[in-house]
Amino acid sequence: MYQIKEFSELLNITVDTIRYYEKIGLTKSPDRNLNGYRKYSNQDLHIYKFILRCKSFSFTLKEIRPLLRYLETGKGKTKSFEPFLEEKIIEITKKQKELRLLKKQISTILESCVIKDCSLLDYL
């Protein structure tokens, strides 16, 4: 069992983040010791790592919620997540196009600045 500070350090997130996830109902409130301190289990650690992994894939907390509920309950069909995941792929593809365009624009600015003295702020 982990107290909140140790738990947050294991996950490399703030105590406030943990409390926020509990407050919005993304995660359940943990059991408490007799002294009232929260105590987190290895199962809680697994759940928080899942949330952080999803966030690293640019999933929002709203998008993570149904995935987390499925993970916790095992109820429902994974097929029901297909439209959501397909939409996420479309979103990622759009972001890739935007980033390629941004890269091209910044490269153009850089080339111009190498050729002549320029002010980056003039371009932006």
Side-chain angles (χ1 to χ4, degrees):
M1 292 292 178
Y2 310 98
Q3 288 188 0
I4 195 166
K5 179 139 178 66
E6 180 184 15
F7 192 67
S8 72
E9 289 170 354
L10 282 170
L11 294 165
N12 199 28
I13 60 175
T14 66
V15 168
D16 289 338
T17 298
I18 294 169
R19 288 184 179 135
Y20 176 72
Y21 290 170
E22 292 170 16
K23 180 181 175 184
I24 65 170
L26 186 64
T27 60
K28 67 175 181 62
S29 293
D31 295 331
R32 293 185 181 255
N33 292 328
L34 293 175
N35 59 9
Y37 291 159
R38 291 170 168 91
K39 59 180 184 176
Y40 296 90
S41 67
N42 284 328
Q43 177 65 24
D44 294 321
L45 189 62
H46 176 72
I47 289 168
Y48 274 82
K49 284 182 177 182
F50 177 80
I51 292 168
L52 296 173
R53 182 88 167 135
C54 288
K55 285 183 56 94
S56 75
F57 290 145
S58 296
F59 285 68
T60 65
L61 295 180
K62 184 178 178 181
E63 293 169 332
I64 293 169
R65 189 179 301 271
L67 298 173
L68 188 57
R69 295 301 167 245
Y70 177 81
L71 178 70
E72 290 174 338
T73 64
K75 294 180 181 175
K77 297 183 179 181
T78 55
K79 251 323 207 184
S80 65
F81 293 118
E82 281 183 22
F84 162 71
L85 294 174
E86 288 170 352
E87 183 65 32
K88 201 66 179 168
I89 290 171
I90 291 168
E91 181 183 317
I92 291 167
T93 302
K94 181 180 175 187
K95 284 182 183 178
Q96 285 176 323
K97 288 178 183 177
E98 291 170 357
L99 287 172
R100 278 194 294 271
L101 177 60
L102 180 60
K103 179 182 175 187
K104 185 176 179 180
Q105 291 171 339
I106 291 174
S107 293
T108 301
I109 292 170
L110 179 62
E111 288 174 18
S112 176
C113 289
V114 167
I115 293 171
K116 62 180 178 157
D117 191 23
C118 68
S119 170
L120 185 58
L121 294 177
D122 290 342
Y123 286 99
L124 302 176

